[in-house]
Amino acid sequence: MKTLLSLFCLVTYLTCALSANGWPVSLDMACNKALSAVACSFEFTNNANEDLYLLKRNTPLEGLRSQFVSVSLDGHPLQYEGIIMYSLPPTKDEFVLLKAGESISASVQITDAFSIDTDGLYTVQYSRPLQYLSVNEMSAMSTGKLRESFVRESVHIHLEDTSLLSRPKEQKVEIDYTVYIESCTAASFSNGDRNNSATLDAHKRLCAGLDKAKGAVGNNTRYVTWFGAYTAARAAIAADTYSKMRTGIGSKSLTYYNNGPLCKSNWIAYTYKSYSQTVTYLCNLYYDDPTACRGTAYTKEGTLVHEWAHALAARDDVAYGPSNCKSLAKSNPDNALRNADSYTYFYCEGR
C-alpha cells in the first residue's frame, strides 16, 4: 500500500512524508466525558513535504454540521441526529492552509448529535475521508478535483451515569399558518413568506414524482447511471427509499422554514437525518432556483427531494453533483444507495 501511495504522490507532484496510516493528512482523536456532555478533540496533521489546503466542510473544523463520526455501543450503531446540509461546491473560504508538518485542531460535543443514554463501552470512529488541494490546485481553483486522505481512527470510551448527559436538540419551529388537507398538496410554512407559493408548487409535484421514480427502479440504464450495478436486492433498497419518502409526504404534516437560522452563504437547505423529521430549512440560494426539475440543474423540486431523502428515509450525503454521483455509482453501488443526491438525479431525470 505504501509503495502505491508513494507512486501516487510522485505522479501528482506531491512529495509525501507518509503518516502512520499511509496518507498525506493524518488524524489523531480523543474523547472524554465532561459534565453533561461527551467532547471529542480532533487534530489534523499535514505529513506531506509541501503546504496543503484542507477542506473544512464535513469535518469538526466547521463544527458539528455533518456526520463525520459514527458512534456505537457494544457494536450497535447509534442514529445520527444532527443536521445534514445541502450546499454548492466548496469555495476558497471553506479551506484552511495547513503548512507542511503543521497541525490544526478542533473539538465538538458528540452528545449534540447522538443520544447517549445507556451505560457501557462506546466506540467513536471517524467516518469521512479528509479532502484537500495542493497550493497550485487552489490557485487554479480546481475544487472539483479534491484529493482525499482516508482515516480509520477510532477511540473507545466507557461511559457511566449517562442519564445525566444532555440530548440532541432540534430547532423549535413556530408555524405561521397550517393547512389541514392532504400533505401531497399542502404544507406548512414558518418564518415569513419568501415566495411560499413557488415552494408549494414544487412540493405538490413530489408525490406523483416519487411514485414515478419508484416505478422506474429496475435493470435499466437510468438505474445503473445513478445507483450502479443492478441486483434485485439493491433495487429493492432504492424502491423502498422512494416509498418511505412518498409515505411520509402523504401522511405527515410537513413544514418549510424560510431562512433557516443555521444557513451559511453557500448552503441551499438543511434538515435532520431521521425517519420522522418533518421540517426542511431553506437557505438563500434556494429561492433563485427554478421550480420544477431540469435534468441535473439545481431546482426547488430537486432540493426538496434531496432534503426529504434525509428526513423521511434517513439517507446520507456521500457525494454531491452529477459527475461525482455517477462516479460513486460505478465505484461503490452500496454507497450510491445511501446517497441523497443520487435519488435526486434519478428522480429528476424522469420528470
Side-chain angles (χ1 to χ4, degrees):
M1 174 62 79
K2 288 191 176 183
T3 301
L4 290 174
L5 285 165
S6 297
L7 179 60
F8 164 81
C9 294
L10 179 62
V11 169
T12 58
Y13 307 103
L14 180 64
T15 306
C16 301
L18 294 177
S19 65
N21 64 16
W23 297 97
V25 183
S26 63
L27 166 69
D28 287 318
M29 56 183 289
C31 297
N32 296 282
K33 182 181 176 184
L35 299 176
S36 62
V38 176
C40 293
S41 61
F42 305 84
E43 183 177 73
F44 304 95
T45 301
N46 177 4
N47 298 290
N49 291 332
E50 67 169 300
D51 300 345
L52 300 173
Y53 280 92
L54 180 64
L55 180 63
K56 293 182 288 186
R57 182 186 293 186
N58 297 325
T59 78
L61 298 174
E62 66 166 3
L64 198 48
R65 295 286 183 265
S66 61
Q67 185 177 1
F68 47 79
V69 294
S70 59
V71 180
S72 59
L73 170 61
D74 296 328
H76 301 287
L78 275 60
Q79 171 73 40
Y80 173 74
E81 301 175 48
I83 69 168
I84 297 185
M85 57 84 178
Y86 184 36
S87 66
L88 294 178
T91 53
K92 188 172 182 177
D93 61 349
E94 290 187 78
F95 292 81
V96 60
L97 178 61
L98 197 55
K99 294 186 176 181
E102 286 191 349
S103 300
I104 188 171
S105 60
S107 62
V108 299
Q109 294 183 171
I110 63 170
T111 37
D112 289 344
F114 296 90
S115 292
I116 297 177
D117 52 15
T118 303
D119 293 2
L121 181 64
Y122 286 81
T123 300
V124 182
Q125 182 168 13
Y126 205 88
S127 55
R128 277 188 178 270
L130 305 177
Q131 297 180 306
Y132 62 93
L133 294 171
S134 68
V135 172
N136 289 338
E137 289 166 336
M138 177 58 77
S139 297
M141 280 307 294
S142 301
T143 55
K145 299 180 180 179
L146 292 166
R147 305 188 191 280
E148 294 186 336
S149 268
F150 292 87
V151 294
R152 294 291 183 268
E153 293 299 309
S154 62
V155 297
H156 302 287
I157 178 171
H158 189 273
L159 297 175
E160 298 179 348
D161 298 325
T162 51
S163 61
L164 303 178
L165 293 174
S166 60
R167 302 286 182 266
K169 296 178 181 177
E170 293 182 5
Q171 211 93 41
K172 288 188 176 180
V173 175
E174 294 183 2
I175 307 302
D176 292 340
Y177 66 85
T178 307
V179 287
Y180 297 98
I181 55 179
E182 184 185 4
S183 294
C184 281
T185 56
S188 301
F189 290 85
S190 185
N191 203 29
D193 188 345
R194 282 205 66 177
N195 197 6
N196 290 349
S197 61
T199 297
L200 188 57
D201 287 344
H203 177 88
K204 288 178 179 179
R205 297 175 58 84
L206 295 180
C207 282
L210 290 166
D211 285 338
K212 189 175 180 181
K214 179 182 176 181
V217 171
N219 193 3
N220 53 57
T221 300
R222 182 172 152 203
Y223 176 92
V224 172
T225 298
W226 301 112
F227 297 120
Y230 175 85
T231 68
R234 289 197 185 105
I237 293 172
D240 183 62
T241 298
Y242 286 120
S243 181
K244 283 186 170 73
M245 295 166 66
R246 171 62 175 83
T247 298
I249 289 171
S251 63
K252 299 177 184 295
S253 178
L254 304 182
T255 300
Y256 296 105
Y257 189 108
N258 290 311
N259 304 316
L262 299 179
C263 286
K264 296 185 180 296
S265 61
N266 64 341
W267 289 20
I268 301 170
Y270 68 90
T271 189
Y272 292 79
K273 180 183 172 184
S274 177
Y275 287 104
S276 59
Q277 170 67 19
T278 58
V279 182
T280 284
Y281 300 84
L282 305 175
C283 300
N284 197 51
L285 290 174
Y286 163 86
Y287 301 102
D288 291 331
D289 288 339
T291 297
C293 282
R294 295 183 180 180
T296 57
Y298 290 107
T299 62
K300 290 181 173 67
E301 183 179 5
T303 292
L304 300 190
V305 172
H306 183 107
E307 294 309 301
W308 294 126
H310 291 313
L312 300 176
R315 298 295 89 187
D316 297 312
D317 278 334
V318 183
Y320 290 110
S323 60
N324 290 333
C325 288
K326 288 178 181 179
S327 296
L328 182 66
K330 290 180 180 178
S331 64
N332 196 325
D334 290 339
N335 275 346
L337 288 170
R338 293 175 44 226
N339 187 45
D341 238 12
S342 301
Y343 288 91
T344 300
Y345 293 124
F346 182 90
Y347 172 103
C348 281
E349 193 173 283
R351 295 294 277 158

